[in-house]
Amino acid sequence: MYSISLLHQPKVHFFPDESSWISGVISEILVEIPDKNFSLVLSGGNTPASIYKELCKYKLNWKSGNIFLADERFVPGSHPDSNKKLVQETLLTPAKYHFWNTEEGSIPQKAVEEYEQELKKYGKPFDVVLLGIGPDGHTASLFPNSPALSEKTHLTATSETEEFAIKERLSMTYAALMNAKKIIFLLKGEDKKEVLDELLSGNKTPEEFPAKKILEHENVHVCFGK
Ligand code: 6PG
């Protein structure tokens, strides 16, 4: 058993259905958002779309908001698997969006260096980071046993996966993701129960289950919807 007692215990919230999960997640986000100049880090994947669609209905001072992506697949923004596309189609607000450069002429290493400069220019802790967890325990695009897991200084890294459709990935590193006031894991559906059990009480190490490292942060919430 990899003892998470050495880490901070996350606050786990269970929700019986999708609508209570959405409103519960929104409440956990809004309570951290200041009147202006806030920042959010969003993840891709299938889980968060309903959260983003609901969140943009709320009257935040969006014009003063900065929205970042925890990671990106190295595909053009028009590609169906693009996280940029997901966010542009679900979280329509006047906020400033910081998308990774995956367009024609960009290369992964150049894209991560550019994004690192954007993060450094922003230069403040994020208010809220929203993360998912894949079946292999990856979060953002930090995959098991990958070099990016041991990156201590850079805020971004390229990564690759053989497990999922889009192999080439760009990701914030732990150093970036954990520079936040609050981190919320979004888990929904029966197939994420196993992921939750491993996160909270499994014996995999963070190298084997990268989401676990995030539990070293002192303010992690896990929102699990049935
Ligand atoms: C991505 C995400 C990734 C995602 C997990 C969970 O770009 O795919 O950032 O880390 O959060 O893979 O994805 P689901 O929400 O689809 O289960």
Side-chain angles (χ1 to χ4, degrees):
M1 151 86 174
Y2 181 85
S3 165
I4 64 168
S5 58
L6 301 177
L7 314 175
H8 297 278
Q9 287 293 340
K11 299 155 197 75
V12 186
H13 313 267
F14 290 98
F15 300 95
D17 51 48
E18 168 120 20
S19 61
S20 61
W21 176 75
I22 292 172
S23 47
V25 170
I26 299 284
S27 309
E28 290 300 334
I29 295 170
L30 295 182
V31 73
E32 294 299 329
I33 301 292
D35 292 346
K36 60 178 184 171
N37 301 328
F38 66 89
S39 57
L40 278 177
V41 177
L42 307 179
S43 282
N46 304 315
T47 302
S50 55
I51 301 291
Y52 301 161
K53 285 178 186 163
E54 183 65 19
L55 183 60
C56 64
K57 297 176 188 168
Y58 285 75
K59 300 221 175 317
L60 278 64
N61 189 334
W62 288 109
K63 280 198 172 57
S64 70
N66 280 276
I67 294 180
F68 298 86
L69 283 181
D71 67 328
E72 185 55 281
R73 294 86 180 276
F74 198 69
V75 292
S78 55
H79 189 285
D81 288 337
S82 159
N83 289 343
K84 173 180 179 181
K85 185 174 179 359
L86 166 73
V87 170
Q88 285 181 323
E89 290 172 352
T90 55
L91 191 65
L92 304 168
T93 77
K96 179 172 172 42
Y97 290 83
H98 302 263
F99 293 120
W100 300 75
N101 177 9
T102 59
E103 301 309 327
E104 191 69 30
S106 180
I107 55 170
Q109 190 50 42
K110 179 169 164 270
V112 296
E113 287 166 6
E114 286 170 3
Y115 208 81
E116 172 141 21
Q117 291 316 308
E118 253 188 89
L119 291 174
K120 286 182 174 170
K121 191 167 158 227
Y122 179 68
K124 289 184 285 184
F126 303 120
D127 289 302
V128 178
V129 172
L130 299 177
L131 293 175
I133 306 179
D136 60 352
H138 81 262
T139 193
S141 280
L142 300 173
F143 294 98
N145 307 307
S146 75
L149 300 184
S150 49
E151 177 52 63
K152 299 269 186 297
T153 48
H154 285 296
L155 302 176
T156 61
T158 59
S159 73
E160 291 194 355
T161 174
E162 296 304 322
E163 300 297 312
F164 302 94
I166 308 296
K167 298 185 178 3
E168 276 196 305
R169 305 290 186 103
L170 314 173
S171 186
M172 285 189 193
T173 57
Y174 289 125
L177 293 170
M178 293 171 79
N179 182 23
K181 292 179 201 152
K182 178 187 246 182
I183 300 174
I184 302 174
F185 278 123
L186 305 178
L187 299 175
K188 180 158 63 78
E190 267 316 295
D191 64 334
K192 289 293 168 94
K193 184 76 183 61
E194 202 178 319
V195 162
L196 179 68
D197 292 345
E198 178 58 48
L199 179 73
L200 299 180
S201 53
N203 58 8
K204 288 184 179 171
T205 65
E207 289 67 38
E208 295 162 328
F209 197 92
K212 237 174 229 188
K213 177 81 175 174
I214 297 290
L215 299 185
E216 292 180 9
H217 188 278
E218 77 282 356
N219 190 19
V220 176
H221 290 243
V222 182
C223 290
F224 185 92
K226 265 214 161 162

